[in-house]
Amino acid sequence: MKQTKFLILIALIGILIFSWITRFYRLSQPASYVFDEQYHVPAVRLINDGDQRAFEWWHGAIDGKSYHDWLHPPLAKYLQGTAMNLWGDNAFAWRASSAIFGVMGVGLVFVLTQLVFQKPRVSLLAALLFSLDGLWLVQSRVAMNDVFLVVWLLLAAIVYLLYQQRRQLWLLPLIGLIFGLALATKWSAAFWLLGFLIWEVIKLVREKNSRLLPWLSFSWLLVPAAVYVLSFLPMFLQGKTLIDWWALQYQVLSYQVIGPASHLYQSGPGQWLFNWRPVWYWTNYLGRNIYALNNPLLAWWELIALLLSLKVIIGKSASKLSNSLSWLIMLLLISLVPWLAITRISFYYHFLPATPVLAILLAYWLDKLYLTNQPPSRKLIFWALIAALIWSFWLFFPLWVGLPVSSDLAEIFYFALPSWR
């Protein structure tokens, strides 16, 4: 038993080292802004300098031609600012905290999968698959908010499962605190918070345990709200009031409702599931590009895993497997369905909270394939699929980190679909 646990730990460390290397490799390149870094980095500079304009929306371009990001809550910018204070105002420092959180996300997927299935091999597979996710890799290498958001959401899901197992009431406000951190990173965290709240209320009603509702309301409504407001503490320390804070929230909401109507690389949930429309983040027009595109084989096989999971759930068998898959599908739904009602433009990176869930689903079904003894060739199929995923990862790796590639390779693989251009 001890030897097995040691081997599991070694395998997990290996996956995390791989994740670390692929995220920090040439992280300082390009030295120029990548996609929305042109908004985020100037905002981080303002916050680090204690400049009141960081929380003001009416200014024009402050950093040369670049505007600053006032549209999102500030927590991710504090983390990015900490890295810049440690390592200087350079491209490596802009992105370092994203890379660290990107590695953390892979580890949290292992923990979450273990809590769901209690099968170390499935958990290792899920962590491996997530480390091969191209969209997660790209977002882990840019100074944007999304990786931080997903790490908080994964952590909230992990603590929620611990609460379900132990029924310790102090875990509820802890979950609320983590959701508050997620909200202080990006408003879309509200999708998960609302989904969890509805899920838990239904559960309490079925159990006829309404006495817990006041504590749940305090933990998952008041605590996150308090954390969100407190995340603007530097704004208040600058002398701004709650009226100023409210005006900022109103401007953010107004932008979300009447923001830009169209964008060349916009996409929606239906396209996200099929890895259909990536976002072109950066190019030097000399064969170097950075595309927010997933590992194609991984994305399409995850769709198959999703369909197999839905088949089990629709079968209405009240089994532990069905319950576990239903909970994971719930996470997937709250990551996607709300975007159908959003009127502003959306992009493929908004799909990021769904990617660890899909990796977990695929890991379960790949493990099931491995365990199937008849015919014996299925184990060979399993290893062939893993090898194909790794091959696909390295094939597309240059497209995710801005390495030069030949135009022939780009045309054959990177732009194989018209929608990938």
Side-chain angles (χ1 to χ4, degrees), residues 293-347:
L293 174 76
N294 199 356
N295 182 332
L297 291 185
L298 178 66
W300 296 331
W301 293 352
E302 285 173 342
L303 268 182
I304 297 173
L306 173 59
L307 294 175
L308 291 172
S309 301
L310 290 173
K311 181 180 178 182
V312 172
I313 295 170
I314 294 172
K316 297 180 180 179
S317 57
S319 63
K320 184 177 179 181
L321 171 60
S322 179
N323 292 336
S324 298
L325 293 177
S326 296
W327 188 77
L328 291 171
I329 295 298
M330 184 274 290
L331 298 184
L332 189 61
L333 289 175
I334 60 179
S335 300
L336 298 179
V337 172
W339 287 103
L340 297 174
I342 301 297
T343 56
R344 61 154 292 184
I345 58 174
S346 55
F347 298 92

Side-chain angles (χ1 to χ4, degrees), residues 365-409:
W365 289 106
L366 283 177
D367 182 70
K368 193 173 180 63
L369 173 67
Y370 181 85
L371 290 175
T372 302
N373 293 321
Q374 298 295 333
S377 59
R378 290 202 177 185
K379 279 187 173 59
L380 294 177
I381 296 175
F382 168 86
W383 288 113
L385 293 176
I386 297 298
L389 286 173
I390 295 173
W391 170 82
S392 181
F393 176 87
W394 288 118
L395 176 65
F396 281 83
F397 185 74
L399 188 68
W400 297 325
V401 301
L403 291 174
V405 295
S406 68
S407 58
D408 291 339
L409 179 66

Side-chain angles (χ1 to χ4, degrees), residues 133-294:
D133 189 296
L135 183 60
W136 183 250
L137 174 65
V138 172
Q139 293 304 132
S140 301
R141 294 174 54 89
V142 295
M144 291 171 62
N145 297 350
D146 304 86
V147 165
F148 302 96
L149 168 68
V150 174
V151 165
W152 299 130
L153 295 179
L154 287 172
L155 192 56
I158 287 169
V159 179
Y160 176 76
L161 289 181
L162 290 175
Y163 166 73
Q164 291 298 323
Q165 293 176 6
R166 302 176 183 179
R167 309 305 293 184
Q168 296 173 326
L169 294 181
W170 67 270
L171 289 173
L172 287 176
L174 177 59
I175 296 168
L177 186 150
I178 297 170
F179 270 127
L181 296 175
L183 287 169
T185 302
K186 208 164 185 181
W187 275 17
S188 54
F191 301 156
W192 274 49
L193 175 56
L194 181 60
F196 272 60
L197 188 60
I198 293 173
W199 181 273
E200 187 63 16
V201 167
I202 292 174
K203 194 171 184 295
L204 290 176
V205 170
R206 287 178 174 175
E207 295 173 351
K208 298 181 179 180
N209 188 14
S210 59
R211 292 176 297 176
L212 197 56
L213 289 176
W215 182 242
L216 182 67
S217 301
F218 167 79
S219 299
W220 288 9
L221 295 177
L222 293 182
V223 171
V227 173
Y228 178 81
V229 174
L230 286 173
S231 72
F232 288 87
L233 185 60
M235 174 182 176
F236 297 126
L237 293 176
Q238 292 172 354
K240 294 186 180 296
T241 66
L242 280 173
I243 295 176
D244 299 316
W245 176 85
W246 182 256
L248 175 61
Q249 309 310 306
Y250 177 79
Q251 292 299 323
V252 173
L253 179 61
S254 298
Y255 183 92
Q256 299 291 357
V257 174
I258 58 173
S262 63
H263 191 283
L264 180 61
Y265 289 96
Q266 71 185 70
S267 57
Q271 295 163 300
W272 301 342
L273 281 168
F274 290 91
N275 196 32
W276 190 252
R277 188 57 173 157
V279 186
W280 191 10
Y281 275 7
W282 175 85
T283 183
N284 69 348
Y285 299 102
L286 295 174
R288 295 174 182 260
N289 296 279
I290 295 178
Y291 263 73
L293 174 76
N294 199 356

